[in-house]
Coordinates of all heavy atoms in Angstrom, one line a residue:
M1 N -56.1 66.0 27.5 CA -56.0 64.9 28.5 C -55.7 65.5 29.9 O -54.8 66.4 29.9 CB -54.9 64.0 28.0 CG -55.0 62.6 28.5 SD -53.6 61.5 28.0 CE -53.8 61.5 26.2
P2 N -56.3 65.1 30.9 CA -56.1 65.7 32.2 C -54.6 65.5 32.6 O -54.0 64.5 32.4 CB -57.0 65.0 33.1 CG -58.1 64.5 32.3 CD -57.5 64.2 30.9
K3 N -54.1 66.6 33.2 CA -52.7 66.5 33.8 C -52.8 66.2 35.3 O -53.5 66.9 36.0 CB -52.0 67.8 33.6 CG -51.6 68.1 32.1 CD -50.6 69.3 32.1 CE -50.3 69.7 30.6 NZ -49.9 68.6 29.8
I4 N -52.1 65.2 35.7 CA -52.0 64.9 37.1 C -50.6 65.1 37.6 O -49.6 64.6 36.9 CB -52.4 63.4 37.4 CG1 -53.8 63.1 36.7 CG2 -52.4 63.1 38.8 CD1 -54.9 63.8 37.2
T5 N -50.4 65.7 38.7 CA -49.0 65.9 39.2 C -48.8 65.0 40.4 O -49.7 64.9 41.3 CB -48.9 67.4 39.7 OG1 -49.0 68.2 38.6 CG2 -47.5 67.6 40.3
Y6 N -47.7 64.2 40.4 CA -47.3 63.3 41.4 C -46.2 63.9 42.1 O -45.2 64.3 41.5 CB -47.0 61.9 40.8 CG -48.1 61.3 40.1 CD1 -48.3 61.6 38.7 CD2 -48.9 60.3 40.6 CE1 -49.3 61.0 38.0 CE2 -49.9 59.7 39.9 CZ -50.1 60.1 38.6 OH -51.1 59.5 37.9
V7 N -46.3 64.1 43.4 CA -45.2 64.6 44.2 C -44.6 63.5 45.1 O -45.4 63.0 46.0 CB -45.7 65.8 45.1 CG1 -44.5 66.5 45.9 CG2 -46.4 66.8 44.3
S8 N -43.4 63.2 44.9 CA -42.8 62.1 45.7 C -42.5 62.6 47.1 O -42.6 63.8 47.4 CB -41.5 61.6 45.1 OG -40.5 62.6 45.2
A9 N -42.3 61.6 48.0 CA -42.1 62.0 49.4 C -40.9 62.9 49.6 O -40.9 63.7 50.6 CB -41.8 60.7 50.2
D10 N -39.9 62.9 48.7 CA -38.8 63.8 48.8 C -39.0 65.1 48.0 O -38.0 65.8 47.8 CB -37.4 63.1 48.5 CG -37.4 62.4 47.2 OD1 -38.3 62.7 46.4 OD2 -36.5 61.7 46.9
G11 N -40.1 65.3 47.4 CA -40.5 66.5 46.8 C -40.3 66.6 45.3 O -40.6 67.6 44.7
D12 N -39.9 65.5 44.7 CA -39.8 65.5 43.2 C -41.2 65.5 42.6 O -42.1 64.9 43.0 CB -39.1 64.2 42.7 CG -37.6 64.2 42.9 OD1 -37.1 65.2 43.2 OD2 -37.0 63.1 42.9
L13 N -41.3 66.3 41.5 CA -42.6 66.5 40.8 C -42.6 65.8 39.5 O -41.6 65.8 38.7 CB -42.9 68.0 40.5 CG -43.1 69.0 41.6 CD1 -43.4 70.3 41.1 CD2 -44.2 68.5 42.5
H14 N -43.7 65.1 39.2 CA -43.8 64.4 37.9 C -45.2 64.8 37.4 O -46.2 64.5 38.1 CB -43.8 62.9 38.0 CG -42.5 62.4 38.5 ND1 -41.4 62.1 37.7 CD2 -42.1 62.1 39.8 CE1 -40.4 61.7 38.5 NE2 -40.8 61.7 39.7
V15 N -45.3 65.5 36.2 CA -46.6 65.9 35.7 C -46.9 64.9 34.5 O -46.0 64.8 33.6 CB -46.6 67.3 35.2 CG1 -47.9 67.7 34.6 CG2 -46.2 68.3 36.3
V16 N -48.0 64.3 34.6 CA -48.3 63.2 33.6 C -49.7 63.5 33.0 O -50.6 63.8 33.7 CB -48.4 61.8 34.3 CG1 -48.7 60.7 33.3 CG2 -47.0 61.5 34.9
D17 N -49.8 63.3 31.6 CA -51.1 63.4 31.0 C -51.7 62.0 31.1 O -51.1 61.0 30.6 CB -50.9 63.7 29.5 CG -50.4 65.1 29.2 OD1 -50.9 66.0 29.9 OD2 -49.5 65.3 28.4
V18 N -52.8 61.9 31.8 CA -53.4 60.6 32.1 C -54.8 60.5 31.3 O -55.6 61.4 31.5 CB -53.6 60.4 33.6 CG1 -54.1 59.0 33.9 CG2 -52.3 60.7 34.4
P19 N -54.9 59.4 30.5 CA -56.2 59.3 29.8 C -57.4 59.2 30.6 O -57.4 58.6 31.7 CB -56.0 58.0 29.0 CG -54.5 57.8 29.0 CD -54.0 58.4 30.3
I20 N -58.5 59.9 30.2 CA -59.8 59.8 30.8 C -60.2 58.3 30.9 O -60.0 57.6 29.9 CB -60.8 60.6 30.1 CG1 -60.5 62.1 30.4 CG2 -62.3 60.3 30.5 CD1 -61.3 63.1 29.6
G21 N -60.8 57.9 32.0 CA -61.3 56.5 32.1 C -60.3 55.6 32.7 O -60.6 54.5 33.2
T22 N -59.0 56.0 32.8 CA -58.0 55.2 33.5 C -58.0 55.7 35.0 O -59.0 56.2 35.4 CB -56.6 55.3 32.9 OG1 -56.1 56.6 32.9 CG2 -56.6 54.8 31.4
S23 N -56.9 55.4 35.7 CA -56.9 55.8 37.1 C -55.6 56.6 37.4 O -54.7 56.5 36.7 CB -57.0 54.6 38.0 OG -55.9 53.8 37.9
V24 N -55.7 57.3 38.5 CA -54.5 58.0 39.0 C -53.3 57.0 39.2 O -52.2 57.3 38.9 CB -54.8 58.7 40.3 CG1 -53.5 59.3 41.0 CG2 -55.8 59.8 40.1
M25 N -53.6 55.8 39.7 CA -52.6 54.7 39.8 C -52.0 54.4 38.5 O -50.8 54.3 38.3 CB -53.2 53.5 40.5 CG -52.3 52.3 40.6 SD -52.2 51.3 39.1 CE -53.7 50.3 39.3
R26 N -52.8 54.2 37.4 CA -52.3 53.8 36.1 C -51.4 54.9 35.5 O -50.4 54.6 34.9 CB -53.5 53.6 35.1 CG -54.2 52.3 35.4 CD -53.6 51.1 34.9 NE -54.2 49.9 35.4 CZ -53.6 48.7 35.6 NH1 -52.3 48.6 35.5 NH2 -54.3 47.7 36.1
G27 N -51.7 56.1 35.8 CA -50.9 57.2 35.3 C -49.5 57.2 35.9 O -48.5 57.5 35.2
A28 N -49.4 56.7 37.1 CA -48.0 56.6 37.7 C -47.3 55.3 37.3 O -46.1 55.4 36.9 CB -48.2 56.6 39.3
V29 N -48.0 54.2 37.4 CA -47.4 53.0 37.0 C -47.0 52.9 35.5 O -45.9 52.5 35.2 CB -48.3 51.8 37.3 CG1 -47.8 50.5 36.8 CG2 -48.5 51.7 38.8
G30 N -47.8 53.5 34.7 CA -47.5 53.5 33.3 C -46.4 54.4 32.8 O -45.9 54.2 31.7
T31 N -46.0 55.3 33.7 CA -44.9 56.2 33.4 C -43.6 55.9 34.3 O -42.7 56.7 34.3 CB -45.3 57.6 33.4 OG1 -45.9 57.9 34.7 CG2 -46.3 58.0 32.3
G32 N -43.7 54.8 35.0 CA -42.5 54.5 35.8 C -42.2 55.3 37.0 O -41.1 55.4 37.5
I33 N -43.3 56.0 37.6 CA -43.1 56.8 38.7 C -42.9 55.9 40.0 O -43.8 55.1 40.2 CB -44.2 57.8 38.9 CG1 -44.2 58.8 37.8 CG2 -44.2 58.5 40.3 CD1 -45.4 59.7 37.8
D34 N -41.8 56.1 40.7 CA -41.6 55.3 41.9 C -42.6 55.8 42.9 O -42.9 57.0 42.9 CB -40.2 55.5 42.4 CG -39.2 54.7 41.6 OD1 -39.6 53.8 40.9 OD2 -38.0 55.1 41.6
G35 N -43.0 55.0 43.9 CA -43.8 55.4 45.0 C -45.2 54.9 44.9 O -45.9 55.0 45.9
I36 N -45.6 54.3 43.8 CA -46.9 53.6 43.7 C -46.6 52.2 43.2 O -46.0 52.1 42.1 CB -47.9 54.3 42.8 CG1 -48.3 55.7 43.4 CG2 -49.1 53.4 42.6 CD1 -49.4 56.4 42.7
V37 N -46.9 51.2 44.0 CA -46.5 49.8 43.7 C -47.7 49.1 43.0 O -47.5 48.5 42.0 CB -46.1 49.1 45.0 CG1 -45.8 47.6 44.7 CG2 -44.9 49.8 45.7
A38 N -48.9 49.2 43.5 CA -50.1 48.7 42.9 C -50.0 47.2 42.7 O -50.2 46.6 41.6 CB -50.4 49.4 41.6
E39 N -49.7 46.5 43.8 CA -49.5 45.0 43.7 C -50.7 44.3 43.2 O -50.6 43.3 42.5 CB -49.2 44.5 45.1 CG -47.7 44.5 45.4 CD -47.5 44.0 46.9 OE1 -48.4 43.7 47.6 OE2 -46.3 44.1 47.3
C40 N -51.9 44.7 43.5 CA -53.1 44.0 43.1 C -53.6 44.4 41.7 O -54.6 43.9 41.3 CB -54.2 44.1 44.2 SG -55.0 45.7 44.2
G41 N -53.0 45.3 41.1 CA -53.3 45.7 39.7 C -54.6 46.6 39.7 O -55.2 46.8 38.6
G42 N -55.0 47.1 40.8 CA -56.1 48.1 40.8 C -57.4 47.6 41.3 O -58.5 48.1 41.0
N43 N -57.4 46.5 42.1 CA -58.6 45.9 42.5 C -58.9 46.2 44.0 O -59.7 45.5 44.6 CB -58.5 44.4 42.4 CG -58.5 44.0 40.9 OD1 -59.3 44.4 40.1 ND2 -57.4 43.2 40.5
A44 N -58.3 47.2 44.5 CA -58.6 47.6 45.9 C -58.3 46.5 46.9 O -59.1 46.3 47.9 CB -60.0 48.2 46.1
M45 N -57.2 45.8 46.7 CA -57.0 44.6 47.5 C -55.6 44.7 48.1 O -55.1 43.7 48.8 CB -57.1 43.3 46.8 CG -58.6 43.1 46.4 SD -58.7 41.6 45.3 CE -58.1 40.3 46.3
C46 N -54.8 45.7 47.9 CA -53.4 45.7 48.4 C -53.0 47.0 49.2 O -52.1 46.9 50.0 CB -52.4 45.5 47.3 SG -52.2 46.9 46.2
A47 N -53.6 48.1 48.9 CA -53.3 49.4 49.6 C -51.9 49.8 49.3 O -51.3 50.7 50.0 CB -53.5 49.3 51.1
T48 N -51.2 49.4 48.2 CA -49.9 49.8 47.9 C -50.0 50.9 46.8 O -49.0 51.2 46.1 CB -49.0 48.7 47.4 OG1 -49.5 48.1 46.2 CG2 -48.8 47.7 48.5
C49 N -51.1 51.5 46.6 CA -51.3 52.6 45.7 C -51.8 53.9 46.5 O -52.3 54.8 45.9 CB -52.2 52.3 44.6 SG -53.9 52.0 45.2
H50 N -51.5 53.9 47.7 CA -51.9 54.9 48.7 C -51.3 56.3 48.2 O -50.2 56.4 47.9 CB -51.4 54.5 50.1 CG -51.7 55.5 51.2 ND1 -50.9 55.5 52.3 CD2 -52.6 56.4 51.4 CE1 -51.4 56.4 53.1 NE2 -52.4 57.0 52.6
V51 N -52.2 57.3 48.2 CA -51.8 58.7 48.0 C -52.5 59.6 48.9 O -53.5 59.3 49.5 CB -52.0 59.1 46.5 CG1 -51.2 58.3 45.5 CG2 -53.5 59.1 46.2
Y52 N -51.9 60.8 49.0 CA -52.6 61.9 49.8 C -53.1 62.9 48.8 O -52.3 63.4 47.9 CB -51.6 62.5 50.8 CG -51.0 61.6 51.8 CD1 -49.6 61.3 51.8 CD2 -51.8 61.0 52.7 CE1 -49.1 60.4 52.7 CE2 -51.3 60.1 53.6 CZ -49.9 59.8 53.6 OH -49.4 58.9 54.6
V53 N -54.3 63.3 48.9 CA -54.9 64.3 48.0 C -55.2 65.6 48.7 O -55.9 65.5 49.8 CB -56.2 63.7 47.4 CG1 -56.8 64.7 46.4 CG2 -55.9 62.4 46.7
P54 N -54.8 66.7 48.3 CA -55.1 68.0 49.0 C -56.6 68.2 49.2 O -57.3 67.8 48.3 CB -54.5 69.0 48.1 CG -53.5 68.3 47.2 CD -54.0 66.9 47.1
A55 N -56.9 68.7 50.3 CA -58.4 68.9 50.6 C -59.1 69.7 49.5 O -60.3 69.4 49.2 CB -58.5 69.6 51.9
E56 N -58.4 70.6 48.8 CA -59.1 71.4 47.8 C -59.6 70.6 46.6 O -60.4 71.1 45.8 CB -58.3 72.6 47.4 CG -57.0 72.3 46.7 CD -55.8 72.3 47.7 OE1 -56.0 72.1 48.9 OE2 -54.7 72.6 47.2
H57 N -59.0 69.4 46.4 CA -59.4 68.6 45.3 C -60.4 67.5 45.7 O -60.9 66.8 44.9 CB -58.2 67.8 44.7 CG -57.2 68.7 44.0 ND1 -57.5 69.3 42.8 CD2 -56.0 69.2 44.3 CE1 -56.5 70.0 42.4 NE2 -55.6 70.0 43.3
A58 N -60.7 67.4 47.0 CA -61.5 66.4 47.5 C -62.9 66.3 46.8 O -63.4 65.3 46.5 CB -61.7 66.5 49.0
A59 N -63.5 67.5 46.6 CA -64.8 67.6 46.0 C -64.9 67.0 44.6 O -66.0 66.6 44.1 CB -65.3 69.0 46.0
S60 N -63.8 67.0 43.9 CA -63.8 66.5 42.5 C -63.5 65.0 42.4 O -63.5 64.4 41.3 CB -62.8 67.3 41.6 OG -61.6 67.4 42.2
L61 N -63.3 64.4 43.5 CA -62.9 62.9 43.5 C -64.2 62.1 43.7 O -65.2 62.5 44.3 CB -62.0 62.6 44.7 CG -60.7 63.4 44.7 CD1 -59.9 63.0 45.9 CD2 -59.9 63.0 43.5
P62 N -64.1 60.9 43.2 CA -65.3 59.9 43.4 C -65.4 59.6 44.9 O -64.4 59.7 45.6 CB -64.9 58.7 42.6 CG -63.4 58.8 42.3 CD -63.1 60.3 42.4
E63 N -66.6 59.4 45.3 CA -66.8 59.1 46.7 C -66.1 57.8 47.1 O -66.0 56.8 46.3 CB -68.3 58.9 46.9 CG -68.8 59.2 48.3 CD -70.3 59.4 48.4 OE1 -70.8 60.3 47.6 OE2 -70.9 58.7 49.2
M64 N -65.6 57.7 48.3 CA -64.9 56.5 48.8 C -65.9 55.4 49.1 O -66.9 55.6 49.8 CB -64.1 56.9 50.1 CG -63.3 55.8 50.6 SD -62.4 56.2 52.1 CE -61.4 57.5 51.6
T65 N -65.6 54.2 48.6 CA -66.4 53.1 48.9 C -66.0 52.5 50.2 O -64.9 52.7 50.8 CB -66.3 52.0 47.8 OG1 -64.9 51.5 47.9 CG2 -66.6 52.5 46.4
A66 N -66.9 51.6 50.8 CA -66.5 50.9 52.0 C -65.3 50.1 51.9 O -64.5 49.9 52.8 CB -67.8 50.1 52.4
V67 N -65.1 49.5 50.7 CA -64.0 48.6 50.5 C -62.7 49.4 50.5 O -61.7 49.1 51.2 CB -64.1 47.9 49.1 CG1 -62.8 47.2 48.8 CG2 -65.2 46.9 49.2
E68 N -62.7 50.6 49.8 CA -61.5 51.5 49.9 C -61.2 51.9 51.3 O -60.1 51.9 51.7 CB -61.7 52.7 48.9 CG -60.5 53.6 48.9 CD -60.7 54.8 48.1 OE1 -61.7 54.9 47.4 OE2 -59.8 55.7 48.1
D69 N -62.3 52.3 52.0 CA -62.1 52.8 53.4 C -61.5 51.7 54.2 O -60.6 52.0 55.0 CB -63.5 53.2 53.9 CG -63.4 53.9 55.3 OD1 -62.4 54.5 55.5 OD2 -64.4 53.7 56.0
E70 N -61.9 50.5 54.1 CA -61.3 49.3 54.8 C -59.9 49.1 54.5 O -59.0 48.9 55.3 CB -62.2 48.1 54.5 CG -62.0 47.0 55.5 CD -62.9 45.8 55.2 OE1 -64.1 46.1 55.0 OE2 -62.5 44.7 55.1
M71 N -59.6 49.1 53.2 CA -58.2 48.9 52.7 C -57.2 50.0 53.2 O -56.1 49.8 53.5 CB -58.1 48.8 51.2 CG -58.6 47.5 50.7 SD -57.9 46.0 51.5 CE -56.1 46.2 51.2
L72 N -57.7 51.2 53.3 CA -56.9 52.3 53.8 C -56.4 52.1 55.3 O -55.5 52.8 55.7 CB -57.6 53.6 53.6 CG -57.6 54.2 52.2 CD1 -58.6 55.3 52.1 CD2 -56.2 54.7 51.8
E73 N -57.1 51.2 55.9 CA -56.6 50.8 57.3 C -55.3 49.9 57.2 O -54.7 49.6 58.2 CB -57.7 50.1 58.1 CG -58.9 51.0 58.4 CD -58.5 52.2 59.2 OE1 -57.7 52.1 60.1 OE2 -59.2 53.2 59.0
C74 N -55.0 49.5 56.0 CA -53.8 48.6 55.9 C -52.6 49.2 55.2 O -51.7 48.5 54.8 CB -54.3 47.4 55.0 SG -55.7 46.5 55.6
T75 N -52.6 50.5 55.1 CA -51.5 51.2 54.5 C -50.2 51.1 55.4 O -50.4 51.1 56.6 CB -51.8 52.7 54.2 OG1 -52.2 53.3 55.4 CG2 -52.9 52.8 53.1
V76 N -49.1 51.1 54.7 CA -47.8 51.1 55.5 C -47.6 52.5 56.1 O -47.3 52.6 57.3 CB -46.7 50.7 54.6 CG1 -45.3 50.9 55.3 CG2 -46.8 49.2 54.2
A77 N -47.7 53.5 55.3 CA -47.6 54.9 55.7 C -48.9 55.3 56.5 O -49.9 54.7 56.2 CB -47.3 55.8 54.6
E78 N -48.7 56.2 57.3 CA -49.8 56.8 58.1 C -51.0 57.1 57.3 O -50.9 57.8 56.2 CB -49.3 58.0 58.8 CG -50.4 58.9 59.4 CD -49.8 60.3 59.7 OE1 -48.8 60.7 59.1 OE2 -50.5 61.0 60.5
R79 N -52.2 56.7 57.7 CA -53.4 57.1 57.0 C -53.8 58.5 57.6 O -53.8 58.7 58.8 CB -54.6 56.2 57.3 CG -55.9 56.6 56.6 CD -57.0 55.7 56.9 NE -58.2 56.2 56.1 CZ -59.4 55.5 56.0 NH1 -59.5 54.4 56.6 NH2 -60.4 56.1 55.4
R80 N -54.2 59.4 56.6 CA -54.6 60.7 57.0 C -56.0 61.0 56.4 O -56.5 60.2 55.6 CB -53.6 61.8 56.4 CG -52.2 61.6 56.8 CD -51.3 62.6 56.2 NE -49.9 62.3 56.4 CZ -48.9 62.8 55.7 NH1 -49.1 63.5 54.6 NH2 -47.6 62.4 55.9
A81 N -56.6 62.1 56.8 CA -57.9 62.5 56.3 C -57.9 62.6 54.8 O -58.9 62.4 54.2 CB -58.3 63.8 57.0
T82 N -56.7 62.9 54.2 CA -56.6 63.1 52.8 C -56.2 61.8 52.0 O -55.9 61.9 50.9 CB -55.6 64.2 52.5 OG1 -54.4 63.9 53.1 CG2 -56.1 65.5 53.0
S83 N -56.1 60.7 52.7 CA -55.7 59.4 52.1 C -56.7 58.9 51.1 O -57.9 58.9 51.4 CB -55.4 58.4 53.2 OG -54.2 58.7 53.9
R84 N -56.2 58.4 50.0 CA -57.0 57.6 49.0 C -56.2 56.5 48.4 O -55.0 56.6 48.4 CB -57.6 58.6 47.9 CG -58.5 59.7 48.3 CD -59.8 59.2 48.9 NE -60.6 58.3 48.0 CZ -61.6 58.7 47.3 NH1 -62.0 59.9 47.4 NH2 -62.3 57.8 46.5
L85 N -56.9 55.6 47.9 CA -56.2 54.6 47.0 C -56.3 55.1 45.6 O -57.4 55.3 45.0 CB -57.0 53.2 47.1 CG -57.0 52.5 48.5 CD1 -57.7 51.2 48.3 CD2 -55.5 52.3 49.0
S86 N -55.1 55.3 45.0 CA -55.1 55.9 43.7 C -55.7 55.1 42.6 O -56.2 55.6 41.5 CB -53.7 56.3 43.3 OG -52.8 55.2 43.3
C87 N -55.8 53.7 42.8 CA -56.5 52.9 41.8 C -58.0 53.1 41.8 O -58.7 52.7 40.8 CB -56.2 51.4 42.0 SG -56.9 50.7 43.5
Q88 N -58.5 53.7 42.8 CA -60.0 54.0 42.9 C -60.3 55.4 42.4 O -61.5 55.8 42.4 CB -60.5 53.8 44.3 CG -60.2 52.4 44.8 CD -60.8 51.3 43.9 OE1 -62.1 51.3 43.8 NE2 -60.0 50.4 43.3
L89 N -59.3 56.1 41.9 CA -59.6 57.5 41.4 C -59.6 57.5 39.9 O -58.5 57.6 39.3 CB -58.5 58.4 42.0 CG -58.4 58.4 43.5 CD1 -57.3 59.4 44.0 CD2 -59.7 58.8 44.2
R90 N -60.8 57.4 39.4 CA -60.9 57.4 37.9 C -60.7 58.7 37.4 O -61.1 59.8 37.9 CB -62.4 57.0 37.5 CG -62.7 55.5 37.8 CD -62.2 54.6 36.7 NE -62.0 53.3 37.2 CZ -60.9 52.6 37.0 NH1 -59.9 53.0 36.3 NH2 -60.7 51.4 37.6
I91 N -60.0 58.8 36.3 CA -59.7 60.1 35.6 C -60.9 60.6 34.9 O -61.4 59.9 34.0 CB -58.4 59.9 34.7 CG1 -57.2 59.4 35.4 CG2 -58.2 61.2 34.0 CD1 -56.7 60.4 36.5
T92 N -61.2 61.8 35.2 CA -62.2 62.6 34.4 C -61.7 64.0 34.1 O -60.6 64.3 34.6 CB -63.5 62.8 35.3 OG1 -63.1 63.6 36.5 CG2 -64.1 61.5 35.8
E93 N -62.3 64.7 33.2 CA -61.9 66.1 32.9 C -61.8 66.9 34.2 O -60.9 67.7 34.3 CB -62.9 66.8 32.0 CG -62.7 66.4 30.5 CD -61.4 66.8 29.9 OE1 -60.6 67.5 30.5 OE2 -61.2 66.3 28.8
G94 N -62.7 66.6 35.1 CA -62.7 67.4 36.4 C -61.5 67.2 37.2 O -61.2 68.0 38.2
L95 N -60.7 66.2 37.0 CA -59.5 65.9 37.7 C -58.2 66.6 37.1 O -57.1 66.5 37.7 CB -59.2 64.4 37.9 CG -60.2 63.7 38.8 CD1 -59.7 62.3 39.1 CD2 -60.4 64.4 40.2
D96 N -58.4 67.3 36.0 CA -57.3 68.0 35.4 C -56.7 69.0 36.5 O -57.4 69.7 37.1 CB -57.8 68.8 34.2 CG -56.6 69.5 33.5 OD1 -55.5 68.8 33.4 OD2 -56.8 70.6 33.0
G97 N -55.4 68.8 36.7 CA -54.7 69.7 37.6 C -54.6 69.1 39.0 O -54.0 69.7 39.9
L98 N -55.1 67.9 39.2 CA -55.0 67.2 40.5 C -53.5 67.0 40.9 O -52.7 66.6 40.0 CB -55.7 65.8 40.4 CG -55.6 65.0 41.7 CD1 -56.5 65.5 42.8 CD2 -56.1 63.5 41.4
V99 N -53.3 67.2 42.1 CA -51.9 67.0 42.7 C -52.0 65.9 43.8 O -52.9 66.1 44.7 CB -51.4 68.3 43.3 CG1 -50.0 68.0 43.9 CG2 -51.3 69.4 42.3
V100 N -51.3 64.9 43.6 CA -51.3 63.8 44.7 C -49.9 63.7 45.2 O -48.9 63.8 44.5 CB -51.8 62.4 44.1 CG1 -53.2 62.5 43.7 CG2 -50.9 61.9 43.0
R101 N -49.9 63.5 46.5 CA -48.6 63.3 47.2 C -48.4 61.8 47.5 O -49.4 61.2 48.0 CB -48.5 64.1 48.5 CG -48.5 65.6 48.2 CD -48.3 66.5 49.4 NE -48.3 67.9 48.9 CZ -47.2 68.5 48.4 NH1 -46.0 67.9 48.4 NH2 -47.2 69.7 48.0
L102 N -47.2 61.3 47.3 CA -46.9 59.9 47.5 C -46.3 59.7 48.9 O -45.5 60.5 49.4 CB -46.0 59.4 46.5 CG -46.3 59.8 45.0 CD1 -45.3 59.2 44.0 CD2 -47.7 59.3 44.7
P103 N -46.8 58.7 49.6 CA -46.2 58.5 51.0 C -44.8 58.0 50.9 O -44.3 57.6 49.8 CB -47.1 57.4 51.5 CG -47.7 56.7 50.3 CD -47.8 57.7 49.2
E104 N -44.1 58.0 52.0 CA -42.7 57.5 52.0 C -42.5 56.1 51.7 O -41.5 55.7 51.2 CB -42.1 57.8 53.4 CG -41.8 59.3 53.6 CD -41.1 59.6 54.9 OE1 -40.6 58.7 55.6 OE2 -40.9 60.8 55.2
A105 N -43.5 55.3 52.0 CA -43.4 53.8 51.8 C -44.8 53.3 51.4 O -45.8 53.8 51.9 CB -42.9 53.1 53.0
Q106 N -44.8 52.2 50.6 CA -46.0 51.5 50.3 C -46.0 50.1 50.7 O -47.1 49.4 50.8 CB -46.2 51.5 48.7 CG -46.4 52.9 48.1 CD -47.8 53.4 48.3 OE1 -48.7 52.9 49.0 NE2 -48.1 54.5 47.6
E107 N -44.9 49.5 51.0 CA -44.8 48.1 51.5 C -43.7 47.9 52.4 O -42.8 48.8 52.5 CB -44.7 47.2 50.3 CG -43.6 47.5 49.3 CD -43.6 46.7 48.0 OE1 -44.4 45.8 47.9 OE2 -42.8 47.0 47.2
Ligands
LIG1 S1 -53.6 48.9 43.3 FE1 -54.0 47.5 45.0 S2 -55.3 48.7 46.2 FE2 -54.9 50.0 44.6

């Protein structure tokens, strides 16, 4: 099962085995990691699952849709070039070792 590392805004690390076919958001919410709220349950409608993904992992991520791009304009924390909605990041074998950083605030 792919391992995803979540790094909180204050530097805490959580390494989670996340099942293929679920999402980076589900891996956090399902294990009680603070920092991802996911108010809309993964429908790209709330932007409270915002994460920062290091540039070196960008190539292994699914392409950003127009809807995700639009919702990223609604994040509470600053949008950066590395911003993604974690509910839109489906887990595949290729994401094993992914490290995501959580913003200071989601709402
Ligand atoms: S969970 Fe709402 S946009 Fe991702």
Side-chain angles (χ1 to χ4, degrees):
M1 208 180 296
K3 286 191 188 307
I4 308 296
T5 299
Y6 301 84
V7 184
S8 70
D10 57 12
D12 285 346
L13 295 181
H14 300 272
V15 181
V16 180
D17 292 318
V18 186
I20 288 174
T22 62
S23 68
V24 172
M25 176 276 278
R26 289 277 172 215
V29 171
T31 52
I33 293 173
D34 286 337
I36 293 185
V37 178
E39 272 175 5
C40 76
N43 294 308
M45 294 173 62
C46 71
T48 63
C49 65
H50 179 205
V51 296
Y52 301 116
V53 180
E56 62 264 30
H57 289 289
S60 47
L61 299 177
E63 210 165 301
M64 186 182 297
T65 64
V67 170
E68 180 181 356
D69 189 30
E70 195 174 314
M71 284 310 301
L72 281 167
E73 295 299 326
C74 305
T75 57
V76 169
E78 166 198 20
R79 180 180 182 174
R80 301 177 190 161
T82 57
S83 288
R84 296 296 304 259
L85 295 180
S86 59
C87 69
Q88 301 303 298
L89 304 179
R90 291 275 152 230
I91 300 294
T92 62
E93 281 295 351
L95 289 190
D96 186 35
L98 177 70
V99 177
V100 296
R101 294 187 176 276
L102 310 182
E104 285 187 9
Q106 294 281 12
E107 54 185 354

